[in-house]
Amino acid sequence: MNMFKTEPFVSDKVWGYERWIVSTHAAGQSRIADTGSALDGKSITETVGADYPLLIKLIQANDTLSVQVHPDDDYARRVENTFGKTECWYILDAVPGATLVCGLNSGCTKEELAEAIKQNTLDKYLKVIPVKKGDFIFIPAGTVHAIQGGLRLLEVQEPSDITYRLYDWGRPREIHVEKGLEVTECTHSDPLENFDGTFACEYFSLSHQTFESTDYSDLWDPSQAVLPEVPQWISAFIIEGNGTICDGNGEEINVCKEEMIMLRSSGTYTAKSTDGSPLKLMIIE
């Protein structure tokens, strides 16, 4: 089997929901769908292995998430015995005027943040940025952030479920101020990337591809890999449209909006639109 669709693990939240569309994490695992084999319905670990290096989510935020921060690998391994969490967001849909919290305003210190949390005045230190459909935001570990209401996004991250909540807008959930401030980076870079269709960091790469023709065109070849070490499986998320993906042996799989396809990275693949509208994919490795 060179490719298959995934069925997500769904996590309902007070602010909306998460669909873990590629996950081998113990907290929630994606499953294999539509293979026509005995693997249907089993965890994707049966095929991609338990050490798949990414966790990929579809997030629907109807309300604002907590203000949170994630540790880097060194801190997470030492304190939590797990991976750190560097992540990125690709905005799939956004209401008019949508915003995100991503980073801190210049001039603040951890001591000021701690006092602001006590006084419920953290808002003044949060960097709020406007976002729209198609925007891309990179969030290194240590970056204070919060997804705000009215957003639907694709999240790609290290395989970690460690979150330190600094502030939760008055909701009665546990917060983790001490650990959160320990890992917070008081830096002030611009989180909005000038996304030209590709992005790469040490943990993952993304490539946005569009297929407008009903003839097959190249989707993936191992020689196209961006990272020096590509996992045995890569992911293809369908952003828009309907189409077909074909592997090098002639096997075809039909795809539609917001489905996730796992592709064996040693193979070659082509794709085409099937309904006359553009087929848009995000290739993740």
Side-chain angles (χ1 to χ4, degrees), residues 62-84:
N62 301 321
D63 197 1
T64 300
L65 279 68
S66 61
V67 178
Q68 54 192 244
V69 65
H70 309 299
D72 63 16
D73 289 341
D74 289 342
Y75 185 97
R77 287 173 180 141
R78 175 168 52 84
V79 177
E80 307 287 359
N81 192 32
T82 188
F83 293 96

Side-chain angles (χ1 to χ4, degrees), residues 1 3-5 32-41 47 251 253:
M1 184 170 60
M3 56 184 178
F4 62 88
K5 296 180 183 180
I32 298 170
D34 296 338
T35 66
S37 74
L39 289 173
D40 286 2
T47 300
E251 179 186 354
I253 186 168

Side-chain angles (χ1 to χ4, degrees), residues 211-214 241-243 272-279:
F211 300 86
E212 299 189 9
S213 173
T214 54
N242 299 285
K272 66 179 181 180
S273 170
T274 54
D275 64 1
S277 61
L279 174 66

Side-chain angles (χ1 to χ4, degrees), residues 138-154:
F138 179 53
I139 308 158
T143 303
V144 174
H145 60 278
I147 300 171
Q148 298 192 289
L151 288 169
R152 190 172 182 83
L153 55 87
L154 178 69

Side-chain angles (χ1 to χ4, degrees), residues 104-145:
L104 300 167
N105 292 322
S106 60
C108 67
T109 65
K110 291 187 179 182
E111 291 73 22
E112 289 172 327
L113 294 176
E115 183 60 25
I117 292 169
K118 289 180 183 178
Q119 301 298 326
N120 291 318
T121 59
L122 185 62
D123 305 50
K124 64 183 179 182
Y125 293 112
L126 302 178
K127 186 172 187 177
V128 179
I129 59 173
V131 290
K132 63 185 184 305
K133 182 177 179 178
D135 280 343
F136 178 84
I137 301 96
F138 179 53
I139 308 158
T143 303
V144 174
H145 60 278

Side-chain angles (χ1 to χ4, degrees), residues 10-29:
V10 179
S11 177
D12 292 321
K13 305 289 186 181
V14 297
W15 43 260
Y17 61 81
E18 295 180 345
R19 293 179 179 170
W20 295 19
I21 50 180
V22 176
S23 172
T24 62
H25 196 283
Q29 298 188 354

